[in-house]
Amino acid sequence: MSAVSVASATDPDLARFLRSLAARDTSPHTQRAYQTAVGDYLDWLAVRGTDWRTPTRADLRAYLGVLGDGRARSTVAQRLAAIRSFHRWATRNGLAAGDPWGSIATPRLPRRLPRVLEVEQVAAMLAVVDSDLDEIAPDADPERAALHVALALRDRALVETAYAAGLRISELAAADLASLDLRRGEIRVIGKGRKQRIGLLGRPARAALTAYLEDGRPVLLDRRHDTDDAPPVEIFLNHLGGPLGVRGLRYRLDRLCTRAGLPAGVSPHTLRHSFATHLLDGGADLRVVQELLGHENLATTQIYTHVSPGRLQAAYREAHPRARRDTAS
């Protein structure tokens, strides 16, 4: 079951489900993954002669065995999540009586704590940018030197903005000039589910963005080949003057992480995790962090309370009457 068959690919219910994902602004990658997972599931039930609306417990347990054959637990969990999402959608739209998987015990992955950078490690990423600026030779070709400076200013603005506002990499790539208010220190982004939120920018981020917008972005913009077209509105541009997409952003941030000597496994999303954890370490309320991250459920944000046990210990010592050392025995 490695590909979606012609039968499931043309299934009208699956097609409607995929359109609903697109309407919620789900990423193309997620849509492809859900099409494969649900398509394989519908094919398997069809071969078995089972209506997907009313599979039996025996059907579902048998399919669990098929899913677990040769697949990693993470892959099984992802496919089951897609299948259950399909059934919940079908129930909401009156196509089925309910989610048949609701009574089936499915394997769950242990929740892994997110990797978080120390404040000094974020500074090390920015130090790489400073090093890039210092490496420009006095006798360098002026055009190449200007490009070198523009890219360094852009990379500094990228790191500062991502860390200051806790943005996802897709939000960073899509952010446009109209969304930015440097005077107020705000950036509007469209997150998951097409929900808009305001990210806040501290002084370092505002300074980095100002330097990039004044001395970096115009240099990149001048390198456009199609000058007859309308100039891009995205804040961050690539070396050819076009929008810097998610792949380009990931490459640039990965490069900074590597050159800064950060441990393997650090990703652009690590800056978002670090943003949340450092806010909580600084005493921010959990619901404030939830709002800034754009999380729908507080439970999603609560994982960050487990990342920094020191904060929990400090809060416990401060709040619990029997935790202070000076309490009489």
Side-chain angles (χ1 to χ4, degrees):
M1 297 189 298
S2 59
V4 180
S5 75
V6 174
S8 63
T10 57
D11 186 285
D13 295 324
L14 176 57
R16 283 181 59 193
F17 172 63
L18 295 174
R19 286 196 297 272
S20 75
L21 294 179
R24 285 159 42 198
D25 203 36
T26 308
S27 73
H29 173 77
T30 299
Q31 293 176 46
R32 288 192 298 270
Y34 275 40
Q35 180 178 14
T36 299
V38 178
D40 284 352
Y41 169 66
L42 296 180
D43 287 344
W44 186 86
L45 289 175
V47 170
R48 197 175 172 93
T50 300
D51 187 334
W52 65 262
R53 298 165 186 80
T54 55
T56 65
R57 290 176 63 87
D59 290 324
L60 300 185
R61 289 186 179 281
Y63 192 68
L64 270 180
V66 171
L67 269 185
D69 186 14
R71 290 189 177 91
R73 290 182 63 188
S74 58
T75 302
V76 173
Q78 290 165 3
R79 291 206 166 201
L80 286 174
I83 292 167
R84 298 197 67 169
S85 178
F86 170 74
H87 276 292
R88 288 193 295 269
W89 168 85
T91 301
R92 288 195 304 270
N93 286 273
L95 301 178
D99 177 9
W101 288 92
S103 60
I104 303 295
T106 57
R108 295 185 180 275
L109 290 174
R111 196 166 193 183
R112 292 181 295 181
L113 296 180
R115 182 186 293 272
V116 173
L117 296 176
E118 300 293 338
V119 175
E120 294 77 11
Q121 290 177 310
V122 178
M125 292 180 67
L126 294 168
V128 173
V129 178
D130 294 334
S131 176
D132 283 345
L133 290 170
D134 292 339
E135 288 175 359
I136 301 174
D139 58 347
D141 175 71
E143 185 175 343
R144 291 183 61 84
L147 175 61
H148 193 93
V149 170
L151 293 176
L153 292 177
R154 183 205 61 193
D155 288 351
R156 177 186 286 152
L158 277 173
V159 175
E160 290 283 15
T161 304
Y163 178 54
L167 302 186
R168 300 178 179 91
I169 194 168
S170 58
E171 296 166 347
L172 201 59
D176 58 32
L177 295 171
S179 71
L180 191 61
D181 187 337
L182 289 178
R183 184 182 61 84
R184 295 171 61 92
E186 296 179 352
I187 182 170
R188 295 191 314 275
V189 296
I190 305 298
K192 290 185 176 180
R194 302 295 299 172
K195 292 182 178 178
Q196 181 177 269
R197 75 177 191 281
I198 301 294
L200 304 181
L201 304 169
R203 288 184 180 178
R206 280 183 282 173
L209 281 164
T210 298
Y212 164 65
L213 292 175
E214 291 180 354
D215 302 320
R217 194 176 185 278
V219 173
L220 300 177
L221 200 59
D222 285 343
R223 293 174 59 83
R224 287 187 305 142
H225 296 308
D226 299 325
T227 54
D228 292 336
D229 294 340
V233 298
E234 288 80 4
I235 296 173
F236 298 107
L237 304 181
N238 60 29
H239 69 289
L240 296 176
L244 184 64
V246 168
R247 183 176 297 181
L249 276 165
R250 192 179 300 280
Y251 171 78
R252 296 302 294 187
L253 292 175
D254 284 348
R255 171 184 175 273
L256 292 177
C257 289
T258 301
R259 292 189 58 197
L262 301 187
V266 171
S267 71
H269 209 68
T270 307
L271 283 172
R272 178 170 160 87
H273 296 321
S274 305
F275 158 84
T277 305
H278 295 168
L279 274 177
L280 289 171
D281 284 346
D285 182 82
L286 189 64
R287 290 196 178 275
V288 172
V289 178
Q290 176 193 5
E291 184 72 19
L292 291 172
L293 287 171
H295 285 164
E296 185 173 349
N297 298 315
L298 186 63
T300 309
T301 315
Q302 283 176 327
I303 190 172
Y304 294 107
T305 64
H306 300 288
V307 176
S308 182
R311 176 181 177 272
L312 295 180
Q313 291 171 7
Y316 174 79
R317 287 194 299 269
E318 182 68 23
H320 198 285
R322 304 295 293 177
R324 292 184 286 273
R325 293 180 181 274
D326 57 354
T327 301
S329 59

